[in-house]
Amino acid sequence: MKWENRRSSSNIEDRRGSGGRLGGLGGIRLSGGAMVLLAVAYLLFGGKLSSLPYILSGVQSQSQSTNIISDEDFSDSEDIKKFTGVVLADTEDVWNEKFKEIGKTYEEPSLVIYSGGIKSGCGVSSSAVGPFYCSADEKIYIDLSFYNTMKRDLGSKGDFAFAYVIAHEIGHHVQNQLGILNDAHRQMASSSKKVANEISVRLELQADYFAGVFARYVQDKGYLEKGDIEEAMEAARSVGDDTLQMKNTGTINPDSFTHGTSEDRMKWFNKGFEYGTIEDGNTF
Ligand SMILES: [Zn+2]
């Protein structure tokens, strides 16, 4: 993506180093099981569903102690921060325009850059959960080291793969603004686990669709480069539930899907890219 010398969003909060790192949390790596427990604990202990964080996928960062030859570390890179700011600015432009078209006003969310751990309106999170959107405070949270995780653990690389991740989280904010997230939360609260998972998949695929709408907008403005769409598609494929489950456990359990298969994630991203509209993104 062409991003140099372009407008960067003013809605970036850089909380790295200024109390952003929570004592002791930096080194904690929550396992998948711990994350499920965390979610269950929210429900059991009166936490509202609306305060659950929306994460990109069930992927967990691997411990740093593996003997993978370390790639360049991008988490402190000024370029990645700048790139993130330009992507956020592009999401503001596209969603301001699309909301206007349907007679609504888009409230631009903040994007919080943190390192290690963060306390959001959705509670305390370690960067191991990956980038997420918190609907309670309407902010996106991202540890820029996820750029490394994508390359190292997910095998998806390139700047536009990272743009897809940001645009997907923004997609959850769009859902929140349109009232879709609230409706879904209400349905999920009165559903069985299986049905709640199905609703979750629809929410996630729609966020992928909205990421596709963003990509279409960037293309129409002339900022896409050769290979960008392929990077985003590969990123969408790499975080499909079936792909992650097969990689992590060697088996696939569709009832436990929360984000959708690799094929569906690519399909909906591509659909958003093709249509570029809000109204064609009905995954429900
Ligand atoms: Zn998501």
Side-chain angles (χ1 to χ4, degrees), residues 54-57 131 133 168-169 172 175 203-205 207-208 259 265:
Y54 275 86
I55 57 177
L56 177 77
S57 68
Y133 172 67
H168 170 98
E169 298 307 333
H172 287 306
Q175 292 174 321
L203 281 173
E204 295 299 333
L205 293 179
D208 285 334
H259 287 68
R265 298 198 72 162

Side-chain angles (χ1 to χ4, degrees), residues 220-232:
D220 289 349
K221 293 286 170 190
Y223 298 132
L224 274 196
E225 291 174 313
K226 198 166 174 286
D228 278 349
I229 291 302
E230 288 75 12
E231 285 172 15

Side-chain angles (χ1 to χ4, degrees), residues 34-50:
M35 272 309 294
V36 171
L37 281 177
L38 200 65
V40 171
Y42 265 106
L43 298 177
L44 285 180
F45 300 113
K48 284 188 301 188
L49 258 178
S50 61

